[in-house]
Amino acid sequence: MKEVHLICNAHLDPIWQWEWEEGAAAALSTFRSAVDLAHEFDYIFCHNEVTLYKYIEEYAPALFTEIKKLIRAGKWHIMGGWYLQPDCNMPQGESFVRQIQFGHRYFLDRFGVEATTAINFDAFGHSSGLPQIVKKCGQDSYILSRPGDDPIPARNFVWEGVDGSQIKVFASPHGYNSPLGNAANVIRDRARAQAGDTVCVLWGVGNHGGGPSRKDLADIEKMKAELGDEMTILHSTPEQFFASINPEIIHKGALRMVMPGCYTSMVAVKQKHAELENTLYMVEKLCSTAARRGLIAYPEKELDDATEDLLNAEFHDVLPGSSVRAGEDNGLRLLQHGLLTLNRLRARAYFALSAAQPRAKDGEFPILVFNPQPYEWNTEIVCEMMLADQNWSEDIRSRMRVYNEAGEEIEAQVVKEESNLNLDWRKRFVFRAPLKPMDITRFSVYVDYIPAETKTPLPKGEDIVFDCAVPTEDGKSVHKHVEIDGVTGLLRSFTLDGKELISDAEYLGKTGAFLPVLYDDTPDPWGMQGFQLSGMGRNPVPFALYETDESGVIADGPFVGMAPIQVTEDGCVCTTVECFMKLANAKVRVEYTIYKTNPAVDVKVDVFAQDADKMVKLALPLTAAGDVIGQTAFGTEVLYNNGRENVAQRFVGVRSDGFVTTLFNRGTYGSSYENGVLSMSLLRGASYCGHPIGSRAIIPTDKFVKKIDLCERNFVFRLTYAKEETLERLAGEFNMPPYACNVFPAEDGLGEPRPTVDAPVPVLTDPNIVLVTMKKQAERDAYILRLLNNFGEDKICTVTVGGETLSLAFGRYEVKTVILENGCLREEEMLLI
């Protein structure tokens, strides 16, 4: 006899086609109805998501109390146990830890329960990093209903993650809802359609709430009696179902085959999400450093508030860009609020550390730089400051002379400041120097004046060629050669140590990398149509360099008065070149920064989009031939190489013989690769919540509807060639640059620096074992060190803090938690917060 486990739920998006207030109202009515029916019928209502329970706790405290009683009686079940159902591809691994552990903390505190089955019914794909995270957060099973049949070997299977961790999975074949008043018929049909003696059926009215109805519960009771000889119907929970099955089929890798457009739609939300993630984990390190030295009280509550802003913005209809305009606005407000909180905390900790510095000498402008990495980092440092007075002379200009703590002068290059005040007053400069691990390094700037120079414009059509010897981490150097085509503005050649990264094969009639390409697209932000699974966008057309008027400059648009290619900076640290391109109504600025002491080329791309139902990609024909790989949550995945849309986090690249031609990014998640061309998906002119339904038109033509991302959007990339085991570290360095500011320390009137407590920073024997974050453990006088080996081989790494040493054995792609408490180090099996 078949055993059928019924999971009664009410899938309720807190925000989607509605604003959050309406989502809260739907939660109130749904939970009220579920409580009332629990007094009438013998069933179990299952629901998840801290966000919704917080609405009940605040707006309906009496209802919250009734739910507590039902939980104790076993008639209401806390399902999933996460903060909410986030997107399950784009958040970093540490963000998933917070989703789970913030959820567990809330449900344990309010109800005394912990869910051991994770659920993400509606996410548009699932990272292969999740099995390790779920397991190390105390859960052993997972329910999903997307993606569809394509990558799933069975309805019940074992999912093996990138590190080898395994959890049980149930993939619901019919979604998570049932039509109002027809639940019994649906349950019977879905149960019969599933193979096996033990099956699970998700039911309940959902997407805008609802859950069980009185008629449905009465019909189910009748059906149980009618099917007595065919199947046993149980009102159940996810944990009860998984306890009764032991699947043997194993699936390895990601589950990410649906909705490829959502990795690009609403790019402003995606970029702010990446910025908030990076800023949160950087500020946690900074606050930990300052607190351990006795300079500040660790701001646990404020950091938790910023974390909750991040978690709410990761909801699976906000971060993927599939909500209405109000959802985008809400997501941006959350992300900006989190960033504002973190900026204030960064200032508090940074100025506390700065107060431990001695006062400035006469004529000195102190530049205090915080390095968030636990190793000495020799890198480019960018800082802006004001001169003591304005220089109105046109015959002389200020020169910034930078010295390290030993009094040695460091080469520095003045570059264009953010301000456009045409006066020698506000200064921006860049220099390269080693930085102390997780500490403040002090530099001293002194200003003098030299004769002003006249800039010589680049002759039209002349190539820009760059050659230099770049120092390497092992104390040697490699030759770096870069060519920018003077006719097309494309990166024609990039050679490191004789290895050419850019293919000379033509693509769309052009040769060179960082080619903007415009595609025909659809109004659908998800990318739901079948053909989009083979590749996002059709009919690619390349952009071309702007044409000029008779004087050799651009005559219209946002780049009026510019030469199509111009060298904007050229000094001892870097050369910067900007190029302007156009296609129909879309305009693009591509800026290359070529460092003289760094084996990389940084590229900024500004897109001015004006056309609906179009997609802009950035094409890089590469010489490398091998697996296409990308960063995922606490891991690296092999991606599609056949033109299908990929999702990856802070890097994507092509591996060959242990090295990877790698493109790092700051918040660009979508890409594709085919026939040697890596294409980064920049933006889509889709419509808000444009949902394909049958053969109906997606968007009405008798009225205007707003489009996503038809405006200026800005992107940042770094192209280099590196060993695969270094990619996680290099991605962190690119996304968490050192924080530098001109600060005049002045703690008290006597000029004495603020006293500090000796608190040694963590030292790792392998710099490619990455310190993801360092934070105070919740409600304990201890600190968490999250360490990651994002590499496909086992590693041994020793962690030392002061006189305490701990040796750690990492498996491939393994994340570990180390606790620093009372000067002692210990490893924890669980991923704690």
Side-chain angles (χ1 to χ4, degrees):
M1 183 182 296
K2 182 173 286 191
E3 184 177 87
V4 182
H5 289 255
L6 300 186
I7 309 298
C8 179
N9 74 99
H11 181 75
L12 204 171
D13 292 329
I15 190 167
W16 178 34
Q17 297 179 76
W18 45 84
E19 299 191 44
W20 75 266
E21 293 93 339
E22 187 177 338
L28 290 166
S29 60
T30 297
F31 283 26
R32 178 72 268 170
S33 172
V35 166
D36 290 344
L37 291 171
H39 296 311
E40 231 181 292
F41 294 90
D42 184 18
Y43 83 105
I44 304 171
F45 184 67
C46 302
H47 208 87
N48 58 304
E49 297 185 318
V50 168
T51 295
L52 299 182
Y53 284 90
K54 281 191 169 185
Y55 293 152
I56 310 303
E57 185 176 19
E58 181 175 358
Y59 304 133
L63 176 59
F64 194 76
T65 299
E66 290 187 74
I67 292 171
K68 283 184 175 182
K69 294 177 182 177
L70 290 175
I71 289 172
R72 289 194 294 269
K75 301 196 69 176
W76 188 295
H77 183 74
I78 299 299
M79 179 175 65
W82 290 26
Y83 196 85
L84 47 68
Q85 292 188 57
D87 174 82
C88 288
N89 276 314
M90 290 179 276
Q92 293 181 30
E94 185 64 24
S95 299
F96 280 118
V97 173
R98 307 297 170 93
Q99 285 283 357
I100 301 173
Q101 299 295 29
F102 271 58
H104 282 192
R105 183 169 68 182
Y106 178 86
F107 288 124
L108 191 60
D109 178 71
R110 300 306 196 276
F111 306 116
V113 299
E114 286 186 286
T116 59
T117 295
I119 65 105
N120 276 297
F121 293 161
D122 208 22
F124 312 137
H126 307 263
S127 162
S128 63
L130 279 172
Q132 175 180 202
I133 297 167
V134 167
K135 193 168 186 177
K136 288 192 173 183
C137 285
Q139 298 188 298
D140 56 16
S141 45
Y142 194 77
I143 300 180
L144 55 87
S145 61
R146 304 177 192 272
D149 295 333
D150 191 1
I152 295 176
R155 286 299 143 197
N156 302 324
F157 61 93
V158 174
W159 186 14
E160 183 172 305
V162 67
D163 73 310
S165 295
Q166 294 184 341
I167 57 175
K168 296 178 186 180
V169 171
F170 167 58
S172 174
H174 304 291
Y176 42 77
N177 292 336
S178 60
L180 178 64
N182 197 34
N185 292 330
V186 165
I187 289 167
R188 181 174 52 247
D189 293 344
R190 291 177 181 177
R192 285 171 174 168
Q194 289 188 56
D197 294 332
T198 303
V199 301
C200 181
V201 177
L202 309 178
W203 77 279
V205 180
N207 212 318
H208 198 33
S213 72
R214 181 172 284 100
K215 179 180 185 304
D216 286 327
L217 285 167
D219 288 348
I220 291 171
E221 289 304 308
K222 293 178 184 177
M223 180 185 67
K224 288 171 67 176
E226 294 169 359
L227 297 176
D229 294 333
E230 179 183 354
M231 59 184 75
T232 300
I233 307 293
L234 304 175
H235 289 293
S236 188
T237 68
E239 283 79 1
Q240 287 178 299
F241 169 67
F242 279 108
S244 64
I245 65 167
N246 289 292
E248 296 179 355
I249 297 174
I250 297 175
H251 174 82
K252 298 182 180 182
L255 299 164
R256 57 170 187 266
M257 314 288 277
V258 296
M259 317 300 189
C262 68
Y263 305 134
T264 302
S265 298
M266 239 178 252
V267 68
V269 172
K270 291 172 169 59
Q271 290 178 333
K272 282 297 173 188
H273 167 256
E275 184 181 355
L276 181 54
E277 280 188 317
N278 294 322
T279 304
L280 173 61
Y281 306 133
M282 180 269 197
V283 170
E284 285 181 343
K285 295 177 188 178
L286 177 56
C287 289
S288 296
T289 300
R292 290 182 62 235
R293 294 182 184 176
L295 296 170
I296 64 169
Y298 188 85
E300 189 170 346
K301 174 63 168 61
E302 290 153 292
L303 285 168
D304 281 356
D305 289 345
T307 302
E308 292 192 15
D309 287 332
L310 174 67
L311 302 184
N312 277 307
E314 289 176 338
F315 179 66
H316 66 259
D317 278 312
V318 174
L319 182 54
S322 48
S323 70
V324 293
R325 176 70 175 270
E328 179 184 41
D329 292 342
N330 181 264
L332 289 171
R333 281 195 297 270
L334 287 167
L335 294 164
Q336 293 284 25
H337 180 265
L339 285 167
L340 178 61
T341 300
L342 293 175
N343 287 347
R344 289 170 172 165
L345 296 180
R346 181 180 65 186
R348 184 188 306 172
Y350 173 80
F351 287 126
L353 288 170
S354 300
Q357 291 279 325
R359 284 198 170 194
K361 300 175 183 177
D362 288 344
E364 178 195 6
F365 292 84
I367 306 298
L368 305 183
V369 185
F370 179 75
N371 170 17
Q373 308 301 341
Y375 48 81
E376 183 178 274
W377 182 15
N378 195 9
T379 187
E380 286 76 27
I381 300 148
V382 180
C383 186
E384 285 207 18
M385 53 170 273
M386 302 295 291
L387 298 179
D389 201 359
Q390 304 155 5
N391 171 32
W392 288 81
S393 172
E394 297 185 13
D395 299 324
I396 60 172
R397 63 174 176 85
S398 57
R399 176 174 61 176
M400 320 301 287
R401 306 190 69 170
V402 180
Y403 297 84
N404 63 20
E405 292 177 343
E408 301 164 330
E409 187 168 3
I410 301 168
E411 284 191 314
Q413 178 180 342
V414 175
V415 295
K416 173 70 174 67
E417 67 278 5
E418 288 293 320
S419 171
N420 291 312
L421 196 63
N422 194 3
L423 183 64
D424 187 17
W425 186 21
R426 181 70 177 169
K427 308 301 292 185
R428 183 180 179 90
F429 55 99
V430 57
F431 60 97
R432 184 180 177 89
L435 300 174
K436 299 174 187 176
M438 285 182 67
D439 202 351
I440 293 281
T441 304
R442 180 171 180 151
F443 300 91
S444 300
V445 172
Y446 293 87
V447 179
D448 59 15
Y449 293 87
I450 58 177
E453 299 174 350
T454 302
K455 186 175 179 180
T456 303
L458 180 73
K460 184 176 181 180
E462 184 173 309
D463 295 342
I464 298 168
V465 180
F466 178 98
D467 282 284
C468 73
V470 176
T472 58
E473 293 178 346
D474 58 7
K476 300 177 182 179
S477 65
V478 296
H479 181 255
K480 178 179 179 179
H481 174 81
V482 178
E483 295 180 18
I484 297 172
D485 193 304
V487 175
T488 64
L490 302 180
L491 184 67
R492 187 171 60 199
S493 174
F494 180 17
T495 304
L496 281 173
D497 201 22
K499 170 69 176 178
E500 175 62 70
L501 306 187
I502 309 303
S503 171
D504 61 2
E506 279 196 358
Y507 177 67
L508 300 179
K510 296 183 181 290
T511 304
F514 296 101
L515 170 66
V517 181
L518 192 67
Y519 291 77
D520 291 336
D521 199 3
T522 75
D524 164 21
W526 289 271
M528 291 186 185
Q529 290 148 298
F531 66 86
Q532 292 172 310
L533 287 176
S534 299
M536 287 297 302
R538 293 182 287 188
N539 306 319
V541 181
F543 282 63
L545 205 67
Y546 253 91
E547 296 182 358
T548 64
D549 60 17
E550 60 277 3
S551 64
V553 299
I554 297 169
D556 57 30
F559 312 130
V560 62
M562 303 289 106
I565 302 178
Q566 49 195 25
V567 178
T568 58
E569 310 289 352
D570 191 24
C572 58
V573 178
C574 65
T575 296
T576 302
V577 181
E578 60 182 1
C579 311
F580 304 101
M581 304 179 193
K582 181 179 181 180
L583 177 61
N585 295 320
K587 290 92 174 173
V588 173
R589 170 184 173 267
V590 179
E591 177 190 273
Y592 306 95
T593 298
I594 308 162
Y595 297 103
K596 302 187 177 179
T597 51
N598 186 325
V601 173
D602 284 0
V603 181
K604 294 181 179 179
V605 180
D606 303 324
V607 180
F608 297 79
Q610 294 294 321
D611 292 305
D613 305 339
K614 297 288 184 181
M615 184 174 190
V616 179
K617 289 198 169 196
L618 195 67
L620 289 81
L622 302 176
T623 59
D627 287 336
V628 185
I629 62 172
Q631 185 193 44
T632 189
F634 291 153
T636 298
E637 293 178 341
V638 176
L639 306 177
Y640 303 126
N641 62 4
N642 59 356
R644 295 186 73 160
E645 195 73 3
N646 288 308
V647 56
Q649 295 177 4
R650 298 178 298 175
F651 66 76
V652 63
V654 183
R655 66 156 67 120
S656 178
D657 299 324
F659 283 79
V660 183
T661 302
T662 310
L663 191 68
F664 299 100
N665 71 82
R666 293 177 182 162
T668 302
Y669 295 94
S671 68
S672 60
Y673 181 88
E674 188 173 23
N675 298 325
V677 179
L678 172 65
S679 295
M680 301 303 296
S681 302
L682 301 186
L683 57 80
R684 304 179 61 223
S687 300
Y688 291 97
C689 220
H691 199 302
I693 298 176
S695 59
R696 304 174 190 175
I698 297 176
I699 298 300
T701 56
D702 59 343
K703 57 180 67 67
F704 172 74
V705 298
K706 293 182 175 64
K707 313 297 179 182
I708 304 171
D709 288 327
L710 292 194
C711 49
E712 179 185 350
R713 291 288 180 257
N714 313 108
F715 306 85
V716 186
F717 303 98
R718 171 171 288 176
L719 179 64
T720 193
Y721 182 69
K723 291 182 178 180
E724 185 174 346
E725 67 177 318
T726 69
L727 297 186
E728 184 74 24
R729 171 172 60 84
L730 296 176
E733 291 177 356
F734 183 59
N735 278 270
M736 293 185 198
Y739 181 70
C741 188
N742 168 216
V743 178
F744 291 88
E747 173 56 22
D748 56 45
L750 301 176
E752 293 296 325
R754 185 186 297 182
T756 67
V757 175
D758 182 36
V761 302
V763 177
L764 282 64
T765 54
D766 186 343
N768 296 314
I769 297 294
V770 171
L771 179 63
V772 177
T773 190
M774 180 175 180
K775 67 181 294 290
K776 185 177 176 295
Q777 187 177 1
E779 301 177 353
R780 290 181 65 91
D781 189 17
Y783 284 84
I784 290 174
L785 283 69
R786 195 89 70 214
L787 302 170
L788 173 64
N789 171 33
N790 192 4
F791 188 50
E793 296 178 6
D794 297 349
K795 285 193 170 193
I796 301 293
C797 179
T798 297
V799 182
T800 301
V801 180
E804 183 76 4
T805 296
L806 180 65
S807 182
L808 300 168
F810 286 83
R812 69 184 194 275
Y813 306 115
E814 184 177 8
V815 60
K816 287 182 178 291
T817 298
V818 171
I819 301 297
L820 172 62
E821 187 171 20
N822 297 323
C824 297
L825 294 169
R826 70 175 187 274
E827 181 181 352
E828 288 281 348
E829 289 298 317
M830 303 297 288
L831 297 176
L832 306 175
I833 55 170

